[in-house]
Amino acid sequence: MNYELTIFQSQFDNKPHKRVSLSSWVKFVELLQGLSNQKGEKGGNNSSPLISPAMFQDGTTRSNKSVTHWGAWCAVDVDDGFHDITVDVLKEKLIERFNDLDFVCYSTASSRESLPKFRLVFKLDEHVESDRIKSFWYAFNTDIGEIGDPQTKDLARMYYVPACYPNAMDFFFDHNGGNAVNVSAMIAKHPYVERSGNTFLDRLPPEMQKAVIEHRKNSLN
């Protein structure tokens, strides 16, 4: 199975014609690791490139409706929850938590010693067709404790490549646990139900929904 990605030259680039297909997860990791040693810049016309797991219909621009599938990987941005720890400790904690999975971890541009911020890139066992992406992302983010930035549910989301960004605490490591995320099993484990948006609860943000549900439970008790 090939691991695919689309490359965008900057945040303003919306032409998804630059595609890369790699024949193994090892080669995919090597590509990311090679990028991690280069100087990076976030934002502006001279920014570092961005990558996306999304593949797009020929002749279209980057948008959710033009996505055909994800190329056998997904990414999770973690911006909180790991204050004042070293990279070695962070690595130990992540390997302990995701020991049975193959993943890459690399720092993002806003990573600091007081608060490491990073991206986790997970290996999937298949390409995820567009009509299953929402279901998969919901299931996977639920399974890992909703540590991911909810914006990454965007089908066409792109991510800055790993690099040495100004003033950032940079790090890069990978874990070869031997397993890919089983997409079909994950979707079956946490079924996704499209919200109608017609009720008071549906219109609330997720955190407020949880608070309202908890209040209702306490009232019943």
Side-chain angles (χ1 to χ4, degrees):
M1 180 177 62
N2 289 347
Y3 298 88
E4 301 174 330
L5 61 149
T6 302
I7 301 174
F8 298 92
Q9 289 303 113
S10 74
Q11 65 190 105
F12 306 109
D13 183 6
N14 68 350
K15 297 178 181 179
H17 62 284
K18 296 177 181 176
R19 304 167 185 169
V20 175
S21 182
L22 300 158
S23 59
S24 71
W25 178 252
V26 172
K27 290 183 178 179
F28 181 81
V29 174
E30 288 176 349
L31 172 66
L32 295 182
Q33 189 165 21
L35 293 168
S36 68
N37 296 318
Q38 301 179 14
K39 290 185 178 180
E41 189 68 42
K42 182 179 178 181
N45 291 319
N46 296 320
S47 74
S48 295
L50 297 94
I51 57 175
S52 174
M55 297 292 107
F56 301 84
Q57 298 170 18
D58 291 336
T60 63
T61 56
R62 188 181 73 88
S63 67
N64 286 338
K65 65 180 181 180
S66 62
V67 172
T68 60
H69 64 277
W70 279 3
W73 62 277
C74 71
V76 178
D77 285 347
V78 182
D79 290 336
D80 203 358
F82 294 89
H83 295 260
D84 295 313
I85 64 172
T86 65
V87 174
D88 287 340
V89 173
L90 173 64
K91 184 176 181 178
E92 289 177 5
K93 288 181 176 293
L94 291 176
I95 290 177
E96 180 181 1
R97 185 165 187 175
F98 304 113
N99 185 54
D100 60 335
L101 297 176
D102 284 352
F103 69 85
V104 170
C105 176
Y106 68 85
S107 55
T108 54
S110 54
S111 175
R112 302 291 184 269
E113 288 189 9
S114 60
L115 179 57
K117 297 185 180 184
F118 52 92
R119 181 163 296 126
L120 293 169
V121 179
F122 289 93
K123 175 183 177 182
L124 309 183
D125 69 342
E126 61 177 302
H127 292 170
V128 187
E129 302 304 315
S130 60
D131 60 350
R132 295 201 301 158
I133 290 175
K134 281 187 178 180
S135 297
F136 167 70
W137 172 251
Y138 168 81
F140 185 61
N141 199 33
T142 299
D143 201 70
I144 63 176
E146 298 184 342
I147 64 172
D149 179 350
Q151 291 186 52
T152 50
K153 66 185 178 181
D154 180 6
L155 275 63
R157 178 73 184 269
M158 53 185 181
Y159 308 90
Y160 282 100
V161 297
C164 297
Y165 291 98
N167 304 315
M169 184 181 77
D170 300 312
F171 52 88
F172 182 104
F173 58 84
D174 67 288
H175 172 63
N176 184 5
N179 296 312
V181 176
N182 187 314
V183 173
S184 296
M186 191 63 65
I187 292 174
K189 184 178 180 181
H190 303 285
Y192 174 74
V193 178
E194 190 80 44
R195 286 184 287 173
S196 65
N198 294 327
T199 69
F200 164 73
L201 194 61
D202 285 334
R203 292 192 293 270
L204 293 177
E207 289 304 315
M208 291 186 68
Q209 289 182 28
K210 291 179 183 178
V212 170
I213 292 171
E214 191 64 30
H215 174 73
R216 290 176 178 176
K217 287 180 181 178
N218 291 336
S219 297
L220 289 174
N221 293 334

